[in-house]
Amino acid sequence: MALENKIEMVADLVEAAKNFFVDLLRPNMTLEKISDVVSPRLDEMIRKQEAAGLKYSAGKFSVKYADEKHFQLEFEMYFQDADGKWHKCANESELRGCELLEVGAWKTIQALKVITFPIEKPASKDDDVLKPDKNLVEYREQQLPAPDDDTPVADADKK
């Protein structure tokens, strides 16, 4: 692979990462809404880099607690070129105010500190590249109220 092509590929990775968080969030975001907004952008980035000759390997997207009023978004993805050299594509947002989040999402971030969604290569055009954070799933299961022993499950779900 020519040196000029490699330099161009790395420059494309840097540019894609730099603009990733522009206009991403709106008020009342849940973790699911964030995932829904981020996933297509990550998918597009993976497809673009693979079209340029890089092979996607692995990555993660994280929502991190920063302080009592702020959180931060970040991602990192790893690509390999035809010569076997690894390239990291990563970025983190500026601190974002907790008022952008739905109350339950903010409480979850405060409790878990970091929520990490593994980024998998999309299998099809509409495939969701972000996979669930195992700690988030466990945390939410623990937060669900336990149904009364004598209450049928169907009735407990209606509450």
Side-chain angles (χ1 to χ4, degrees), residues 13-26:
L13 271 174
V14 170
E15 190 63 27
K18 184 172 78 171
N19 294 324
F20 189 82
F21 292 112
V22 174
D23 297 328
L24 185 66
L25 299 181
R26 303 284 181 257

Side-chain angles (χ1 to χ4, degrees), residues 24-41:
L24 185 66
L25 299 181
R26 303 284 181 257
N28 270 338
M29 296 292 283
T30 63
L31 294 169
E32 288 75 15
K33 285 181 186 175
I34 292 171
S35 175
D36 289 346
V37 170
V38 169
S39 187
R41 289 185 179 199

Side-chain angles (χ1 to χ4, degrees), residues 27-154:
N28 270 338
M29 296 292 283
T30 63
L31 294 169
E32 288 75 15
K33 285 181 186 175
I34 292 171
S35 175
D36 289 346
V37 170
V38 169
S39 187
R41 289 185 179 199
L42 293 169
D43 180 23
E44 180 183 333
M45 189 180 298
I46 291 169
R47 289 183 192 282
K48 183 178 179 183
Q49 298 311 317
E50 287 195 327
L54 294 176
K55 181 181 177 194
Y56 178 71
S57 180
K60 65 182 180 176
F61 171 78
S62 300
V63 181
K64 297 175 15 179
Y65 175 84
D67 61 37
E68 60 277 350
K69 298 217 183 262
H70 298 95
F71 68 100
Q72 192 169 30
L73 307 173
E74 70 178 24
F75 73 91
E76 59 184 55
M77 296 188 294
Y78 296 90
F79 296 87
Q80 192 172 32
D81 64 26
D83 296 333
K85 184 172 182 192
W86 289 96
H87 301 275
K88 179 179 179 180
C89 178
N91 195 4
E92 62 183 27
S93 71
E94 296 178 0
L95 294 181
R96 303 294 172 111
C98 64
E99 68 277 357
L100 285 172
L101 298 172
E102 180 266 335
V103 173
W106 177 239
K107 287 181 179 180
T108 301
I109 292 168
Q110 288 176 303
L112 295 178
K113 304 300 183 212
V114 178
I115 299 163
T116 302
F117 300 90
I119 304 169
E120 294 184 3
K121 183 177 177 177
S124 66
K125 187 175 185 335
D126 296 324
D127 192 21
D128 189 4
V129 297
L130 290 180
K131 301 306 172 198
D133 175 294
K134 291 177 185 171
N135 291 332
L136 175 60
V137 172
E138 290 174 8
Y139 174 78
R140 286 187 171 160
E141 287 173 355
Q142 292 173 1
Q143 299 305 308
L144 292 175
D148 296 335
D149 292 338
D150 57 349
T151 305
V153 175

